Amino acid sequence: MNIVVLLKRTFDTEEKISIANGQVQEEGAEFIINPYDEYGVEEAIRLRDNHGGEVTVVSVGGEEAEKQLRTALAMGADKAVLINTEDDLDEGDQFTTAKILTSYLTDKNADIILAGNVAIDGGSGQVGPRVAEGLGIPYVTTITQIEVNGKAVSITRDVEGDSESIQTSLPVLVTCQQGLNEPRYPSLPGIMKAKKKPLEEIELDDLDLDEEDVRAKIKTLDIYLPPQKAAGRLLEGDISAQVDELVGLLRNEAKVI
Ligand SMILES: Cc1cc2nc3c(=O)[nH]c(=O)nc-3n(C[C@H](O)[C@H](O)[C@H](O)COP(=O)(O)OP(=O)(O)OC[C@H]3O[C@@H](n4cnc5c(N)ncnc54)[C@H](O)[C@@H]3O)c2cc1C
């Protein structure tokens, strides 16, 4: 089975985001594999181990994304592809990323493409479905279970705490939700092996794309942090006095009643 994982390098979930000159500051920040993409890598490895084939991890980004691609190789993926946009593009949006990935995947005949349900930074959840649309294949989002039997695919997807069962067929793109699996940590032998696994680097030119073809359709006007939340207030004393005080506060301070 030809399995592809779309992998995004994102801010570490522990990082405190800071903004200067209207830009999120990346300097000194730690980066990781987008956590939902880790589920994708783990599931891809399990599918390959059960059905045979090969796992390719693909990222659109700069040179720095090599680190996260190597981590996926250390987990057990077979090869990695970095589509390096550094020299060609200053800006990009979901359209840009999806168009680049679609162009790359067009002649790859992937049986299953696994993406994250959402990137924890950009967070639009658009890239996976856009790629599937571009390729003209079915997609199922927020999956928590997948079973492949020949060409038939049975999927369970999370629908806000409940679940839905879906039957589809290969080729398919799925987006991974928490609960799909428990991603493994790269082992020491895995890390050693990863150094020798192929990591191909290509550019827009190699995909017959130029800047115009992938120009962002979104213009970001402003980026700002949410306002600081004021500390909560605890009312004390007799319940009826608390109710009176609460009503007074809602009316006079919060001005919501
Ligand atoms: C050249 C370029 C410049 C950019 N510049 C900026 C910028 O200045 N500011 C800014 O905020 N953002 C920038 N971006 C990022 C962009 O706006 C989006 O964050 C990105 O396209 C993904 O959208 P998302 O984060 O909403 O991902 P989602 O759609 O939420 O991601 C869902 C899934 O799609 C896949 N995916 C998403 N992105 C990638 C990727 N890059 N490679 C492989 N798989 C992926 C992953 O599987 C991920 O889990 C740039 C992107 C490009 C290509």
Side-chain angles (χ1 to χ4, degrees):
M1 206 153 41
N2 181 5
I3 308 164
V4 175
V5 183
L6 310 182
L7 184 148
K8 187 179 183 188
R9 168 184 181 266
T10 55
F11 271 92
D12 192 328
T13 37
E14 303 290 313
E15 282 300 333
K16 196 166 176 346
I17 306 289
S18 65
I19 292 173
N21 304 322
Q23 295 287 333
V24 176
Q25 297 304 295
E26 296 197 351
E27 213 173 311
E30 281 295 320
F31 284 82
I32 55 169
I33 297 176
N34 180 44
Y36 294 98
D37 304 354
E38 273 190 346
Y39 299 127
V41 176
E42 176 64 37
E43 201 61 26
I45 294 167
R46 292 183 190 195
L47 285 165
R48 178 208 55 205
D49 291 349
N50 285 337
H51 300 276
E54 194 174 58
V55 175
T56 307
V57 281
V58 187
S59 196
V60 178
E63 202 84 42
E64 315 82 39
E66 270 191 21
K67 188 172 170 207
Q68 286 69 37
L69 288 170
R70 285 272 173 222
T71 303
L73 292 173
M75 286 170 76
D78 299 290
K79 56 181 189 162
V81 178
L82 172 63
I83 307 175
N84 193 334
T85 52
E86 250 164 357
D87 291 343
D88 299 312
L89 302 172
D90 293 328
E91 289 179 333
D93 62 5
Q94 292 76 10
F95 165 78
T96 311
T97 305
K99 173 99 186 178
I100 294 171
L101 287 167
T102 306
S103 297
Y104 170 75
L105 289 164
T106 294
D107 59 357
K108 299 295 179 296
N109 295 319
D111 296 300
I112 299 189
I113 302 169
L114 298 108
N117 157 41
V118 71
I120 57 161
D121 52 1
S124 70
Q126 289 188 21
V127 171
R130 276 177 180 263
V131 169
E133 281 293 320
L135 294 171
I137 62 172
Y139 67 88
V140 184
T141 56
T142 59
I143 73 155
T144 53
Q145 203 181 349
I146 179 165
E147 269 172 40
V148 179
N149 195 347
K151 285 268 174 205
V153 185
S154 306
I155 290 173
T156 307
R157 66 184 293 266
D158 173 48
V159 276
E160 310 233 333
D162 222 322
S163 54
E164 184 179 18
S165 300
I166 292 191
Q167 301 290 326
T168 183
S169 59
L170 300 178
V172 66
L173 182 146
V174 293
T175 74
C176 304
Q177 170 67 308
Q178 188 173 13
L180 177 62
N181 54 45
E182 197 58 56
R184 69 194 67 190
Y185 287 105
S187 63
L188 196 56
I191 294 169
M192 300 309 287
K193 269 194 214 156
K195 292 183 180 161
K196 293 198 180 126
K197 288 183 180 174
L199 195 160
E200 185 190 1
E201 196 172 316
I202 58 175
E203 296 187 358
L204 290 192
D205 245 8
D206 301 304
L207 299 173
D208 282 332
L209 289 172
D210 61 36
E211 233 175 287
E212 276 313 307
D213 298 323
V214 297
R215 187 173 293 286
K217 292 186 184 292
I218 293 174
K219 190 168 167 48
T220 303
L221 301 179
D222 196 7
I223 297 179
Y224 52 89
L225 292 171
Q228 290 259 334
K229 274 196 186 153
R233 199 143 125 197
L234 211 57
L235 304 182
E236 282 173 2
D238 175 64
I239 288 291
S240 63
Q242 282 190 46
V243 171
D244 287 346
E245 193 182 349
L246 179 62
V247 170
L249 287 169
L250 290 173
R251 182 166 294 144
N252 303 321
E253 262 190 36
K255 298 194 188 333
V256 291
I257 56 173

